[in-house]
Amino acid sequence: MQGVITKEGFNFGFDPFKCSSCEGNCCIGESGYIWCTPKEIDDMSQFLGEKRGEFTLKYTKKVGYKISLCEIESKGNFSCIFFDLDKKACQIYPVRPKQCRTFPFWKHFNENIKEVVKECPGIII
Ligand code: SF4
Ligand code: SF4
């Protein structure tokens, strides 16, 4: 199929054109973690024109030794703090963390394909 992305080692493909009609399922829904590295925090704070310390306080939380972006809860649904619910778009798209950039090609989904099919309409099996 034209435009479908495949990756070695993955038993599914991904059609990125589905993102335009999807409401951002990978950024909203059940609560989860959006891990970010110190370098990614630097990039995101620069992108927003904020000091690193302010960015960290406003948008991230510590989970053990790791750092995740915060979520916003509304009526039992969670969304990433950078997801614009009106525009259905990521507000920091060019500098989003690697975890977001590599979705849906996460090793976890090879063994849990039903999970990603339920979440992402772009999955091709
Ligand atoms: S869930 Fe899939 S189709 Fe929807 S925005 Fe995310 S990657 Fe695109
Ligand atoms: S950083 Fe952007 S792409 Fe990643 S979960 Fe948040 S809104 Fe979605």
Side-chain angles (χ1 to χ4, degrees):
M1 201 187 290
Q2 213 183 358
V4 171
I5 298 169
T6 54
K7 283 220 164 129
E8 204 180 324
F10 287 87
N11 52 17
F12 56 86
F14 170 58
D15 178 1
F17 289 101
K18 295 286 183 192
C19 295
S20 53
S21 55
C22 170
E23 305 238 302
N25 291 358
C26 48
C27 308
I28 57 177
E30 286 175 21
S31 181
Y33 297 114
I34 307 131
W35 303 117
C36 35
T37 65
K39 166 78 169 73
E40 288 170 338
I41 290 173
D42 281 345
D43 293 344
M44 290 185 281
S45 43
Q46 261 181 35
F47 182 78
L48 293 175
E50 301 216 18
K51 290 199 173 112
R52 190 180 207 285
E54 280 167 22
F55 179 95
T56 306
L57 275 177
K58 275 162 78 174
Y59 305 118
T60 70
K61 60 183 174 190
K62 260 190 111 178
V63 186
Y65 292 107
K66 294 166 85 176
I67 296 175
S68 169
L69 295 181
C70 294
E71 295 175 300
I72 293 171
E73 199 251 327
S74 169
K75 296 177 192 156
N77 261 320
F78 293 82
S79 58
C80 171
I81 196 158
F82 289 122
F83 190 68
D84 184 324
L85 286 164
D86 295 323
K87 293 182 184 154
K88 311 282 184 216
C90 173
Q91 299 175 79
I92 55 158
Y93 192 80
V95 289
R96 66 204 189 284
K98 184 180 177 195
Q99 176 176 329
C100 311
R101 283 185 281 115
T102 54
F103 183 88
F105 292 104
W106 297 351
K107 293 280 180 208
H108 167 82
F109 290 140
N110 264 344
E111 284 83 48
N112 300 278
I113 191 125
K114 280 187 187 158
E115 213 178 287
V116 71
V117 165
K118 199 171 140 205
E119 183 174 343
C120 175
I123 299 299
I124 309 286
I125 46 176

